């Protein structure tokens, strides 16, 4: 992966809030990742199973064997060159929308971070607590600093729930979806090939439609930051 190629993607992320980079993983690497997930004991409470969704919260903690496979040389280069030398992973989720999945996700921004405890702090809130996991909306600069990598284990297009995004919406602060003015905003569907990644700023408005062609969609979602949180608050999944 050449640095000059990455500059094109850097411009996209800056201006549009996202970029798609294909051929980051080989088919064999993707197969090994899928096999590793398959073999994991899924009985803990961080695993969620239903007819519509299989999801793993704190994915890199729950499936530690997958780390070396996920952070291949291409991903390390992307993090270093596009985000910065000091960025580390702060949140990870795996989800599998099976062939029968028929739910869609309305437009939203990713406004919370995962932390290790609940503290009353200026600028942090509202809070949610699920099974001893704490999520909070932090001040805007913390959100603006984050980058997300979404690793695609399947070809993804508009027929099996590819993300749709509003280009440039990441630069407008907290943007309520109900206030989107479609006379001025546009929608883009992000096609990503198996083994490709989508990089996104969490404030980019995004959603996805129902699967209509019976193809599954498996994605690993990892968020990165280079900020330390104030006071005694820590990222719950910090991983260098």
């Amino acid at each position: 992966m050449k640095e000059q190629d990455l500059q094109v993607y850097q411009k996209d992320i800056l201006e549009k809030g996202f970029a798609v980079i294909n051929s980051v993983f080989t088919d064999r690497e993707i197969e090994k990742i899928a096999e590793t997930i398959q073999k994991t004991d899924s009985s803990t409470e961080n695993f969620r199973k239903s007819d519509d969704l299989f999801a793993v919260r704190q994915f890199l903690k729950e499936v530690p064997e997958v780390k070396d496979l996920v952070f291949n040389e291409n991903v390390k280069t992307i993090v270093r060159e596009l985000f910065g030398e000091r960025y580390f992973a702060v949140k990870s989720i795996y989800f599998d929308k099976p062939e029968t999945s028929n739910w869609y996700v309305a437009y939203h921004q990713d406004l919370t971070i995962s932390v290790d405890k609940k503290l009353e702090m200026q600028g942090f809130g509202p809070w949610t607590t699920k099974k001893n996991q704490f999520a909070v909306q932090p001040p805007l600069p913390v959100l603006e600093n984050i980058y997300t990598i979404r690793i695609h284990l399947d070809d993804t297009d508009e027929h099996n729930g590819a993300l749709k995004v509003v280009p440039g919406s990441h630069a407008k602060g907290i943007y309520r979806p109900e206030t989107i003015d479609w006379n001025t905003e546009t929608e883009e569907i992000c096609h990503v090939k198996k083994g490709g990644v989508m990089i996104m700023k969490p404030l980019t408005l995004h959603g996805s439609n129902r699967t209509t062609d019976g193809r599954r969609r498996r994605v690993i979602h990892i968020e990165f930051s280079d900020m330390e949180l104030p006071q005694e608050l820590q990222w719950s999944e910090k991983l260098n």
Side-chain angles (χ1 to χ4, degrees), residues 5-23:
D5 296 343
L6 288 176
Q7 282 166 0
V8 176
Y9 301 121
Q10 197 152 33
K11 190 166 176 284
D12 278 346
I13 296 164
L14 200 64
E15 291 172 6
K16 294 162 68 176
F18 66 94
V20 172
I21 309 176
N22 283 311
S23 305

Side-chain angles (χ1 to χ4, degrees), residues 137-194:
Q137 184 170 325
L140 198 58
V142 177
L143 293 171
E144 288 173 338
N145 174 261
I146 292 171
Y147 290 89
T148 300
I149 292 184
R150 294 166 57 90
I151 299 164
H152 284 249
L153 276 57
D154 302 288
D155 287 336
T156 309
D157 59 29
E158 65 273 26
H159 304 298
N160 66 334
L163 277 198
K164 49 186 186 178
V165 295
V166 178
S169 51
H170 69 299
K172 299 178 182 181
I174 306 296
Y175 191 149
R176 297 288 166 210
E178 60 276 12
T179 67
I180 298 173
D181 178 358
W182 291 113
N183 294 314
T184 56
E185 301 287 23
T186 56
E187 175 177 283
E188 198 169 317
I189 306 272
C190 298
H191 293 187
V192 189
K193 294 265 183 222
K194 173 184 173 179

Side-chain angles (χ1 to χ4, degrees), residues 71-103:
F71 293 104
N72 71 2
E73 285 310 313
N74 283 340
V75 169
K76 286 180 189 168
T77 303
I78 287 168
V79 173
R80 191 176 59 245
E81 300 296 335
L82 290 186
F83 308 168
E85 291 282 353
R86 299 176 54 203
Y87 270 75
F88 46 85
V90 295
K91 185 177 185 175
S92 58
I93 307 163
Y94 166 77
F95 56 88
D96 175 358
K97 276 175 100 170
E99 295 84 346
T100 54
S101 175
N102 205 23
W103 55 286

Side-chain angles (χ1 to χ4, degrees), residues 2-239:
K2 300 188 186 79
E3 281 178 43
Q4 60 266 39
D5 296 343
L6 288 176
Q7 282 166 0
V8 176
Y9 301 121
Q10 197 152 33
K11 190 166 176 284
D12 278 346
I13 296 164
L14 200 64
E15 291 172 6
K16 294 162 68 176
F18 66 94
V20 172
I21 309 176
N22 283 311
S23 305
V24 173
F25 294 85
T26 64
D27 282 355
R28 181 72 196 115
E29 284 175 314
I30 290 295
E31 277 159 32
K32 283 182 82 166
I33 289 170
E35 282 165 16
T36 305
I37 295 166
Q38 202 81 44
K39 284 185 200 146
T40 307
D41 168 23
S42 59
S43 61
T44 76
E45 59 190 19
N46 278 336
F47 288 76
R48 179 181 155 197
K49 284 177 285 222
S50 70
D51 292 343
D52 257 357
L53 179 70
F54 173 68
V56 188
R57 284 195 304 267
Q58 300 208 358
F59 172 65
L60 295 172
K61 276 187 179 178
E62 288 289 350
V63 193
E65 308 78 22
V66 91
K67 269 186 265 191
D68 289 343
L69 303 171
V70 164
F71 293 104
N72 71 2
E73 285 310 313
N74 283 340
V75 169
K76 286 180 189 168
T77 303
I78 287 168
V79 173
R80 191 176 59 245
E81 300 296 335
L82 290 186
F83 308 168
E85 291 282 353
R86 299 176 54 203
Y87 270 75
F88 46 85
V90 295
K91 185 177 185 175
S92 58
I93 307 163
Y94 166 77
F95 56 88
D96 175 358
K97 276 175 100 170
E99 295 84 346
T100 54
S101 175
N102 205 23
W103 55 286
Y104 84 107
V105 179
Y107 267 111
H108 65 287
Q109 295 172 302
D110 293 339
L111 294 176
T112 63
I113 58 171
S114 296
V115 292
D116 64 335
K117 63 177 88 65
K118 185 174 179 178
L119 285 177
E120 288 310 317
M121 290 168 67
Q122 186 78 38
F124 282 75
W127 289 80
T128 58
T129 308
K130 267 189 215 153
K131 296 179 178 161
N132 240 4
Q133 295 186 14
F134 306 95
V136 64
Q137 184 170 325
L140 198 58
V142 177
L143 293 171
E144 288 173 338
N145 174 261
I146 292 171
Y147 290 89
T148 300
I149 292 184
R150 294 166 57 90
I151 299 164
H152 284 249
L153 276 57
D154 302 288
D155 287 336
T156 309
D157 59 29
E158 65 273 26
H159 304 298
N160 66 334
L163 277 198
K164 49 186 186 178
V165 295
V166 178
S169 51
H170 69 299
K172 299 178 182 181
I174 306 296
Y175 191 149
R176 297 288 166 210
E178 60 276 12
T179 67
I180 298 173
D181 178 358
W182 291 113
N183 294 314
T184 56
E185 301 287 23
T186 56
E187 175 177 283
E188 198 169 317
I189 306 272
C190 298
H191 293 187
V192 189
K193 294 265 183 222
K194 173 184 173 179
V197 303
M198 179 181 174
I199 294 166
M200 188 175 76
K201 297 298 283 175
L203 291 174
T204 306
L205 276 164
H206 59 287
S208 63
N209 292 332
R210 293 180 168 86
T211 300
T212 56
D213 66 357
R215 282 183 302 135
R216 77 196 292 198
R217 174 166 71 96
R218 294 167 296 169
V219 173
I220 297 167
H221 169 118
I222 307 174
E223 295 174 19
F224 295 82
S225 175
D226 66 351
M227 279 181 141
E228 294 302 338
L229 298 172
Q231 292 179 31
E232 293 83 59
L233 203 59
Q234 302 288 333
W235 300 99
S236 68
E237 293 180 65
K238 183 174 177 180
L239 181 77

